[in-house]
Amino acid sequence: MTDLGVPDLDIETLRLLVAIESARSLSGAARARGLSQPSASARVKEFEARWGLSLVRRSARGSTLTEDGEAVVAWGRAVMHAADTMRASLAAMSAEKVEGVAVAASLTVAEYLLPRWLGELHHRQPDVRPRLHVVNSELAAEEVRSGVADIGFIETAVMPRDLARRQVGRDRMAVVVAPAHRWARRRTPLTRAEMGDESWVLRERGSGSRSTFESALRRVPNVAMEGTSTATLIGAAMAGVGPAVVSARSVVAEIETGRLVEVPTTVEMLRPLTAVWRAEERLRRPAEDLLLIAMESMRWV
């Protein structure tokens, strides 16, 4: 039980429920999670009993999620993402450095992409101990420039000309609003002029999100609130402070559950995800391998 007097979350069962949604079968989900079918079934029943919910509809044709089950899975994806991010970050921080690589990364890359990249780096080079600094794009470039970081990953269209660089992928920015916002019921895309008249919830200056939006808007936006994290922007948008511009990767769960609505626009907001390093130095092997992993990972995205 938690301090609030309610049961704690069982992340492994959340992973099993996600697998049931994908496999549409309890036995298939059990195999995917390395469980026996009786063990998987017992896990689901215990979870349902603990929370007083019916999550899985069982039939001769397979297992599907109930409406409550679909909501739990949508929330669970966000919980699992946060847990995976924390696990990768703790692993990078806690182990004694044998051969290190210092990585500076902007927020979206650090939250949604780097955990997978660092996991693959560990698989290939288990003795390498990364050190991760999560900063905005401008500061990530500065840490590389000053030698604090061996390699940086930034998400801005404004490239530092004094650093070597290679684009590893792209990220789409989305306009999101609370369901009660007048834009949530629009049938036509927002124009650049309409966007220019609105007051926005945005990241701070120096962030890739902010520079991408300003470049797309072609003017300095009106700001209702600034935040230094994506979570702050998402929370402010849900609270009705104003429309927010965030990475589409970061609001999948909120859009699936109806807590936010993505508003289409006539303005394309794609930003490059770019690796940067000091031009006068060759990347050491751990940093070079991380760059290759990033490029391989983003090839099909």
Side-chain angles (χ1 to χ4, degrees), residues 2-45:
T2 67
D3 293 340
L4 298 177
V6 296
D8 209 345
L9 292 174
D10 177 357
I11 293 179
E12 289 308 310
T13 301
L14 288 177
R15 295 187 191 278
L16 177 60
L17 290 169
V18 170
I20 291 172
E21 182 189 52
S22 299
R24 300 186 67 82
S25 135
L26 182 61
S27 59
R31 285 194 300 273
R33 298 303 306 159
L35 300 170
S36 67
Q37 183 167 339
S39 176
S41 180
R43 273 183 174 273
V44 172
K45 288 179 180 177

Side-chain angles (χ1 to χ4, degrees), residues 4 14-15 19 22 48 73 95 106 112 117 139 167 192 203 214 216 242 268 274 290:
L4 298 177
L14 288 177
R15 295 187 191 278
S22 299
E48 289 176 323
V73 163
S106 55
Y112 297 96
W117 300 349
L139 291 177
Q167 184 173 331
R192 183 176 282 107
R203 284 284 306 278
E214 290 183 348
E268 186 178 74
T274 307
L290 184 59

Side-chain angles (χ1 to χ4, degrees), residues 183-230:
W183 285 353
R185 296 175 295 278
R186 282 186 66 99
R187 297 184 180 276
T188 57
L190 290 168
T191 65
R192 183 176 282 107
E194 289 175 307
M195 295 167 68
D197 291 337
E198 186 66 20
S199 293
W200 294 85
V201 174
L202 299 172
R203 284 284 306 278
E204 77 285 2
R205 287 187 176 275
S207 70
S209 301
R210 181 69 169 265
S211 65
T212 299
F213 181 58
E214 290 183 348
S215 295
L217 198 60
R218 300 176 186 170
R219 57 171 287 181
V220 176
N222 302 316
V223 179
M225 193 191 92
E226 285 188 355
T228 57
S229 74
T230 304

Side-chain angles (χ1 to χ4, degrees), residues 31-245:
R31 285 194 300 273
R33 298 303 306 159
L35 300 170
S36 67
Q37 183 167 339
S39 176
S41 180
R43 273 183 174 273
V44 172
K45 288 179 180 177
E46 194 277 332
F47 193 97
E48 289 176 323
R50 184 189 309 174
W51 294 97
L53 297 171
S54 175
L55 304 179
V56 178
R57 186 182 299 108
R58 302 161 180 85
S59 71
R61 292 178 294 177
S63 299
T64 57
L65 298 179
T66 63
E67 185 175 341
D68 285 345
E70 291 175 353
V72 169
V73 163
W75 296 326
R77 289 186 190 278
V79 172
M80 289 184 296
H81 168 73
D84 291 342
T85 298
M86 184 174 181
R87 183 181 294 111
S89 299
L90 287 173
M93 292 168 58
S94 63
E96 182 180 353
K97 182 174 67 173
V98 177
E99 183 180 9
V101 56
V103 183
S106 55
L107 192 61
T108 298
V109 176
E111 286 191 340
Y112 297 96
L113 299 170
L114 256 176
R116 186 167 70 250
W117 300 349
L118 292 175
E120 179 61 23
L121 180 65
H122 177 73
H123 175 72
R124 298 185 188 185
Q125 298 189 51
D127 290 337
V128 172
R129 297 294 180 262
R131 299 192 312 279
L132 174 61
H133 303 168
V134 182
V135 290
N136 66 33
S137 292
E138 188 174 273
L139 291 177
E142 182 55 40
E143 289 200 355
V144 171
R145 191 177 289 115
S146 65
V148 172
D150 299 306
I151 188 169
F153 292 94
I154 62 177
E155 51 195 53
T156 176
V158 182
M159 291 293 111
R161 296 184 180 275
D162 59 329
L163 296 175
R165 60 185 181 272
R166 180 168 296 178
Q167 184 173 331
V168 299
R170 295 195 304 176
D171 186 44
R172 183 176 69 85
M173 305 298 294
V175 172
V176 293
V177 297
H181 193 278
R182 68 186 188 282
W183 285 353
R185 296 175 295 278
R186 282 186 66 99
R187 297 184 180 276
T188 57
L190 290 168
T191 65
R192 183 176 282 107
E194 289 175 307
M195 295 167 68
D197 291 337
E198 186 66 20
S199 293
W200 294 85
V201 174
L202 299 172
R203 284 284 306 278
E204 77 285 2
R205 287 187 176 275
S207 70
S209 301
R210 181 69 169 265
S211 65
T212 299
F213 181 58
E214 290 183 348
S215 295
L217 198 60
R218 300 176 186 170
R219 57 171 287 181
V220 176
N222 302 316
V223 179
M225 193 191 92
E226 285 188 355
T228 57
S229 74
T230 304
T232 299
L233 270 57
I234 292 171
M238 288 194 295
V241 176
V245 178

